């Protein structure tokens, strides 16, 4: 008797192990992109459960691994109901999984519907956070520079910097006076370690490519097959300025990470760093940071383009929420309800403003709901400036990770002296053509 | 006895073969199928024939470059790991003081994970290279020798233990007899000791060969392929292809199948050759 039962039992248990438990059908599964706010989502899940009784499960992909996590998660029976795509490129990869969101409440409340990721057939991604980046500077140090008697420039405030030429003159003069200013370089290390080079291969490259695509009359809806990198020399001007006036010798940039640069800025070892408003937490979170909250300001990325006096910072998003079209209609509905709750209810908005610190692009947010961190306020200041044209995030049409990785590697080799600038430009053009 | 064995055979074999089927055979066959398709998630794939293989071998120059880098690395590290491990084993079977301590110390790096070792060695190597004003990303040669050093550091202790076990199995009389017959230490090593540990040599070369070929964590953590992709080995290249670009998953999968064929072929040839040299005591 015993022996007869044994085999089926064993089989059963093996099968149990391998099939696993199926997920709860009326649960919302959100695959979060931002590790820095992972713990906030746990609180949100608790609050949502309390208010509505619906289960929200949030998983977070480790930094830089979102695409691969999504690839494996979405193939499962218990797939994410809400995930995020990073723009036209992300939509091209995930279009089979993106539900049409044009009837959702969250879409109707977008303050600018043109921000949404759309095709002729519908709306497939809703931006949930708007971010801005430029050159972050420590006003305390620049004030000290402006107070110098023997400085070579004649600007009266940092607001007078309206072109690359002025920026270059100020930066190079600051480098000459660096011991008086108490810094070891004007710019924080140009982090070029593989995987840590996105500030250059993506964010800085936004400027020349934005001008190029605008000139060619191309919008952000299609992915160009080729790019000329026509303004490569303008890119090079600012990039060289970073590298030559840095805290770190250029041969050593290959091991520097973004966190190193932000730490240098926080500790007052440098006056400027290129980054965005998301980095404020990184600045204020560093032990022994000396940067005062009201002294953190942002400048546009001037590259020497014609008419750049009116250029603003880069404001846009690469974070679009999508709902899994392969989930059941009830699950899709539950997901849309949750998103609307998060960005419209008082509890939800409280989380968004104070804990997630997102600049949310929805009309449910009033002026007093804005995040109050200094860099977030800087983004608003630039957004509201008159006669200034802020640039969109054109880099969302860049080809995939391989293109960015190779461009970043070429930049490093250029800095180390093993590649010429024209080889870097060739890498950019060839890899773009091959990858898109 | 035979009959009851036959009757109980399924009870003992079935659970394991079921696990093997689910965790190995099915994913493996599925993987081969996927290498002929274009897919984003494994759930829906469309058949594209051989085009992934064509891309991997012709359009994508990274695969062949990574293959060549891997072959060079494997040759150097198989030789260095085995020679050094065997020397350590010889020294540590002579009954010198502190033998056990040394054996433990040499074995310890093997207990640390590859990613951790990679980052530790990156710090060490960069620390040295900084004195010359460069770092490990400057030249693929630095990455290459860095990987060789790392591999040696990690594998020598393990191989040493296997060689020690082999050496201790040799009856001491055989070496004594050879000595009485007038053989010098080198002759004894060459004609008595080495043939008698050849089964350990088989195991050790097999392990070092396949491990060097499949190296991933250490490569990922130490250089990440820098500069560019010049120091990426096969496994890292497959990983980058799979996740690096939209729609290139199938190519990554095709590379993985080629990778499997290469590793299997090399391992089989190596086993056949070194088996021939083994002698029974």
């Amino acid at each position: 008797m015993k022996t007869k039962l044994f085999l089926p039992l064993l089989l059963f248990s093996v099968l149990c192990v391998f099939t696993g438990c199926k997920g709860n059908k009326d649960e919302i599964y959100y695959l979060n992109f931002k590790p820095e706010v992972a713990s906030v989502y746990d609180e949100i899940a608790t609050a949502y459960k309390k208010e509505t009784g619906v289960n929200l499960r949030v998983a977070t992909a480790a930094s830089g691994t979102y695409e691969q996590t999504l690839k494996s998660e979405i193939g499962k029976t218990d797939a994410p109901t809400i995930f995020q795509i990073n723009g036209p490129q992300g939509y091209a990869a995930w279009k089979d999984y993106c539900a049409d969101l044009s009837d959702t409440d969250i879409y109707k409340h977008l303050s600018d519907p043109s921000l949404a990721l759309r095709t002729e057939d519908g709306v497939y991604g809703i931006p949930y956070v708007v971010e801005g980046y430029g050159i972050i500077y420590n006003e305390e140090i620049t004030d000290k520079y402006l107070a110098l008697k023997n400085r070579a420039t004649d600007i009266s405030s940092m607001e007078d910097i309206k072109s690359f030429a002025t920026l270059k003159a100020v930066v190079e003069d600051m480098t000459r006076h660096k011991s008086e200013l108490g810094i070891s370089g004007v710019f924080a290390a140009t982090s070029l370690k593989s995987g840590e080079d996105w500030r250059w291969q993506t964010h800085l490259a936004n400027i020349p490519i934005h001008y190029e695509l605008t000139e060619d009359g191309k919008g952000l809806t299609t992915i160009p097959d080729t790019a000329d990198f026509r303004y490569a020399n303008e890119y090079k001007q600012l990039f060289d300025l970073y590298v030559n006036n840095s805290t770190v010798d250029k041969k050593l940039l290959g091991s520097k990470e973004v966190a190193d640069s932000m730490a240098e800025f926080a500790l007052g070892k440098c006056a400027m760093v290129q980054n965005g408003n998301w980095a404020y937490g990184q600045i204020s979170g560093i032990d022994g940071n000396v940067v005062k909250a009201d002294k953190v300001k942002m400048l546009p990325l001037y590259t020497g383009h014609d008419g750049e006096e009116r250029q603003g910072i880069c404001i846009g998003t690469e974070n679009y929420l999508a709902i899994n079209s392969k989930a059941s209609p009830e699950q899709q509905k539950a997901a849309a309800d949750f998103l609307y709750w998060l960005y419209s209810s008082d509890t939800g908005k409280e989380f968004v403003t104070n804990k997630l610190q997102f600049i949310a692009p929805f009309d449910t947010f009033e002026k007093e709901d804005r995040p109050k961190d200094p860099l977030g306020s800087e983004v608003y200041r630039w957004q509201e400036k008159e006669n200034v044209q802020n640039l969109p995030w054109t880099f969302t049409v860049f080809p995939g990770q391989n293109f960015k990785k190779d461009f970043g590697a070429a930049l490093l080799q250029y800095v180390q002296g093993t590649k010429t600038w024209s080889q870097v430009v060739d890498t950019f053009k060839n890899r773009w053509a091959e990858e898109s | 006895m035979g009959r009851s064995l036959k009757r109980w055979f399924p009870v003992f074999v079935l659970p394991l073969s079921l696990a093997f089927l689910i965790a190995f055979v099915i994913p493996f066959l599925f993987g081969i199928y996927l290498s002929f398709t274009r897919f984003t998630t494994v759930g829906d794939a469309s058949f594209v024939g051989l085009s992934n293989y064509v891309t991997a071998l012709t359009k994508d120059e990274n695969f062949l470059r990574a293959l060549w880098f891997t072959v060079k690395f494997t040759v150097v590290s198989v030789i260095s790991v085995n020679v050094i491990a065997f020397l350590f084993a010889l020294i540590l079977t002579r009954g010198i003081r502190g033998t056990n301590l040394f054996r433990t110390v040499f074995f310890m790096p093997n207990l640390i994970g590859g990613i951790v070792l990679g980052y530790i060695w990156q710090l060490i190597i960069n620390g040295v290279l900084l004195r010359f004003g460069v770092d490990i990303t400057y030249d693929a040669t630095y990455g290459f020798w860095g990987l060789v050093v790392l591999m040696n550091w990690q594998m020598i202790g393990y191989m040493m233990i296997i060689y020690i076990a082999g050496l201790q199995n040799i009856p001491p009389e055989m070496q004594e007899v050879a000595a009485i017959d007038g053989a010098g230490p080198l002759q004894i090593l060459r004609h008595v000791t080495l043939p008698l540990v050849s089964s350990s040599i088989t195991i050790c070369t097999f392990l070092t060969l396949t491990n060097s070929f499949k190296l991933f964590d250490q490569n990922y953590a130490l250089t990440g392929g820098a500069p560019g992709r010049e120091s990426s080995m096969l496994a890292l290249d497959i990983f980058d292809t799979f996740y690096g670009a939209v729609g290139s998953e199938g190519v990554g999968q095709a590379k993985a199948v080629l990778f499997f064929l290469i590793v299997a072929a090399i391992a089989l040839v190596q086993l056949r050759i070194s088996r021939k040299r083994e002698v029974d005591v």
Side-chain angles (χ1 to χ4, degrees):
Chain A
M1 191 57 202
K2 253 186 187 170
T3 55
K4 270 184 191 162
L5 265 178
F6 180 65
L7 197 60
L9 267 179
L10 200 78
L11 269 175
F12 180 74
S13 57
V14 168
L15 277 176
C16 273
V17 169
F18 284 106
T19 49
C21 293
K22 290 265 163 66
N24 194 346
K25 274 288 160 211
D26 32 64
E27 184 184 69
I28 306 166
Y29 175 12
Y30 175 34
L31 189 60
N32 169 33
F33 173 78
K34 292 173 167 283
E36 66 269 24
V37 291
S39 59
V40 181
Y41 278 111
D42 294 337
E43 294 173 39
I44 292 175
T46 319
Y48 193 58
K49 171 89 183 166
K50 214 163 122 196
E51 284 200 12
T52 62
V54 180
N55 273 325
L56 169 70
R57 184 156 61 94
V58 182
T60 300
S63 172
T65 61
Y66 194 81
E67 282 291 302
Q68 67 208 58
T69 313
L70 184 57
K71 257 177 210 174
S72 53
E73 285 295 303
I74 213 155
K76 293 180 183 169
T77 331
D78 181 21
T81 30
I82 308 174
F83 59 96
Q84 95 161 53
I85 48 181
N86 65 355
Q89 279 289 350
Y91 175 68
W94 293 106
K95 57 174 177 279
D96 296 345
Y97 293 87
C98 296
D100 184 358
L101 304 174
S102 41
D103 289 331
T104 55
D105 289 329
I106 182 108
Y107 170 66
K108 289 173 189 151
H109 284 279
L110 259 183
S111 46
D112 175 6
S114 74
L115 285 173
L117 198 59
R118 52 168 76 237
T119 67
E120 284 143 24
D121 309 325
V123 175
Y124 295 97
I126 308 271
Y128 64 93
V129 54
V130 168
E131 293 167 313
Y133 65 88
I135 298 174
I136 301 172
Y137 65 92
N138 183 346
E139 206 177 22
E140 221 172 347
I141 298 173
T142 53
D143 280 349
K144 220 192 264 180
Y145 167 73
L146 292 173
L148 285 181
K149 291 216 171 62
N150 54 348
R151 69 188 161 102
T153 58
D154 54 4
I155 57 164
S156 53
S157 85
M158 291 299 278
E159 296 286 308
D160 291 348
I161 300 180
K162 286 194 180 322
S163 67
F164 176 74
T166 330
L167 178 69
K168 184 177 157 88
V170 169
V171 166
E172 288 180 345
D173 198 33
M174 281 178 83
T175 301
R176 272 191 289 277
H177 294 288
K178 67 181 176 188
S179 54
E180 291 156 72
L181 300 172
I183 52 177
S184 42
V186 178
F187 286 107
T190 311
S191 60
L192 279 166
K193 184 177 175 175
S194 183
E196 299 283 339
D197 46 3
W198 45 266
R199 287 186 293 157
W200 331 113
Q201 33 92 324
T202 306
H203 287 178
L204 184 54
N206 187 56
I207 314 280
I209 296 302
H210 166 76
Y211 284 125
E212 176 171 329
L213 295 185
T214 320
E215 204 170 78
D216 297 349
K218 287 179 189 156
L220 285 185
T221 45
T222 46
I223 301 163
D225 292 335
T226 55
D228 295 345
F229 204 12
R230 204 172 297 150
Y231 298 113
N233 278 330
E234 296 177 1
Y235 178 98
K236 178 174 178 288
Q237 290 199 68
L238 185 54
F239 186 73
D240 281 345
L241 192 72
Y242 288 159
V243 170
N244 294 333
N245 295 282
S246 167
T247 49
V248 175
D249 183 75
K250 56 163 123 175
K251 286 238 173 82
L252 309 180
L253 293 173
S255 338
K256 289 292 169 192
E257 300 178 4
V258 180
D260 296 324
S261 314
M262 297 322 291
E264 286 169 9
F265 184 77
L267 298 176
K269 287 184 184 164
C270 62
M272 302 181 185
V273 60
Q274 181 199 312
N275 215 336
N277 61 299
W278 58 86
Y280 187 69
Q282 233 174 339
I283 298 172
S284 61
I286 282 168
D287 280 342
N289 99 78
V290 298
V291 181
K292 300 203 176 77
D294 57 335
K295 297 288 182 192
V296 187
K297 296 279 147 67
M298 215 188 271
L299 266 178
L301 300 169
Y302 293 118
T303 55
H305 195 78
D306 276 347
E308 69 180 354
E309 294 73 24
R310 295 181 52 197
Q311 178 192 310
I313 61 173
C314 300
I315 299 179
T317 186
E318 59 167 342
N319 301 283
Y320 297 90
L321 288 170
I323 292 180
N324 188 347
S325 59
K326 307 218 165 162
S328 69
E330 300 81 59
Q331 280 178 316
Q332 295 187 27
K333 168 95 176 48
D337 288 346
F338 162 69
L339 291 178
Y340 185 60
W341 174 86
L342 182 60
Y343 289 100
S344 67
S345 74
D346 289 340
T347 326
K349 275 158 65 180
E350 170 75 18
F351 276 116
V352 172
T353 311
N354 295 328
K355 296 276 181 65
L356 297 171
Q357 300 205 329
F358 286 169
I359 301 176
F362 300 102
D363 61 16
T364 48
F365 284 77
E366 308 292 332
K367 233 178 173 171
E368 61 272 14
D369 293 332
R370 292 173 169 184
K372 293 176 184 62
D373 76 282
L375 286 175
S377 318
E378 277 292 286
V379 174
Y380 280 116
R381 187 170 69 89
W382 278 98
Q383 228 167 9
E384 284 159 5
K385 263 195 180 185
E386 310 243 323
N387 286 325
V388 160
Q389 185 72 45
N390 290 306
L391 305 186
W393 285 18
T394 309
F395 64 75
T396 49
V397 304
F398 283 16
Q401 198 54 37
N402 276 340
F403 160 78
K404 295 177 184 170
K405 185 174 172 167
D406 289 343
F407 176 43
L411 285 173
L412 173 61
Q413 284 169 304
Y414 161 68
V415 166
Q416 288 171 333
T418 49
K419 257 193 180 154
T420 64
W421 182 252
S422 68
Q423 283 174 307
V424 176
V425 177
D426 286 344
T427 305
F428 186 98
K429 288 195 282 197
N430 296 339
R431 299 296 291 134
W432 185 304
E434 282 162 28
E435 291 286 324
S436 57
Chain B
M1 178 64 193
R3 261 189 53 203
S4 75
L5 199 68
K6 219 174 224 169
R7 207 176 57 195
W8 285 97
F9 177 76
V11 177
F12 290 112
V13 172
L14 213 82
L16 192 68
S17 34
L18 208 67
F20 186 68
L21 192 76
I22 294 172
F24 184 81
V25 178
I26 294 176
F28 181 71
L29 294 176
F30 196 52
I32 294 180
Y33 158 72
L34 283 177
S35 71
F36 296 102
T37 63
R38 189 187 157 89
F39 65 100
T40 305
T41 54
V42 293
D44 44 358
S46 55
F47 195 74
V48 293
L50 281 172
S51 80
N52 287 335
Y53 287 90
V54 174
T55 313
L57 290 171
T58 55
K59 263 195 248 161
D60 185 336
E61 74 264 30
N62 291 325
F63 185 69
L64 293 177
R65 184 169 62 196
L67 177 63
W68 177 229
F69 188 87
T70 311
V71 169
K72 283 193 291 187
F73 170 77
T74 307
V75 170
V76 174
S77 61
V78 165
I79 295 173
S80 62
V81 168
N82 283 291
V83 169
I84 299 172
F86 188 71
L87 287 178
F88 279 170
L90 276 182
I91 295 166
L92 294 182
T93 45
R94 304 200 143 217
I96 51 170
R97 274 176 66 152
T99 294
N100 278 333
L101 177 73
F102 281 118
R103 285 183 191 176
T104 319
V105 169
F106 286 131
F107 187 72
M108 287 233 284
N110 204 264
L111 303 175
I112 310 174
I115 288 279
V116 179
L117 271 187
Y119 283 118
I120 293 175
W121 274 96
Q122 191 190 42
L123 287 176
I124 299 175
I125 293 171
N126 276 339
V128 174
L129 289 177
L130 277 187
R131 300 193 156 267
F132 304 95
V134 289
D135 63 14
I136 196 161
T137 62
Y138 186 67
D139 191 330
T141 333
Y142 299 155
F144 180 82
W145 289 107
L147 280 169
V148 170
V149 170
L150 205 171
M151 189 70 180
N152 276 283
W153 168 263
Q154 192 176 22
M155 297 290 287
I156 281 175
Y158 191 25
M159 298 307 135
M160 179 193 76
I161 297 291
I162 299 178
Y163 281 125
I164 286 177
L167 288 170
Q168 281 173 339
N169 269 338
I170 301 174
E173 299 85 28
M174 300 187 78
Q175 283 147 333
E176 279 168 31
V177 167
I180 291 165
D181 286 345
L186 278 180
Q187 279 173 307
I188 295 178
L189 181 68
R190 169 79 188 77
H191 296 287
V192 180
T193 313
L194 274 180
L196 288 173
V197 293
S198 56
S199 61
S200 307
I201 297 179
T202 308
I203 298 169
C204 287
T205 39
F206 176 77
L207 285 177
T208 42
L209 192 73
T210 50
N211 278 335
S212 313
F213 228 87
K214 296 189 303 184
L215 200 71
F216 175 77
D217 305 12
Q218 291 85 340
N219 190 201
Y220 183 82
L222 188 72
T223 68
R229 292 162 196 276
E230 284 171 40
S231 71
S232 50
M233 296 175 60
L234 282 176
L236 185 60
D237 180 53
I238 292 169
F239 176 82
D240 281 341
T241 315
F242 196 94
Y243 289 115
V246 173
S248 71
E249 292 86 353
V251 180
Q253 197 62 39
K255 285 182 178 181
V257 171
L258 291 171
F259 180 56
F260 164 77
L261 292 175
I262 296 170
V263 175
I266 292 178
L268 284 177
V269 169
Q270 181 267 334
L271 273 183
R272 180 153 298 181
I273 293 174
S274 47
R275 281 264 179 216
K276 268 193 204 152
R277 302 165 45 97
E278 284 182 23
V279 282
D280 289 321
V281 181

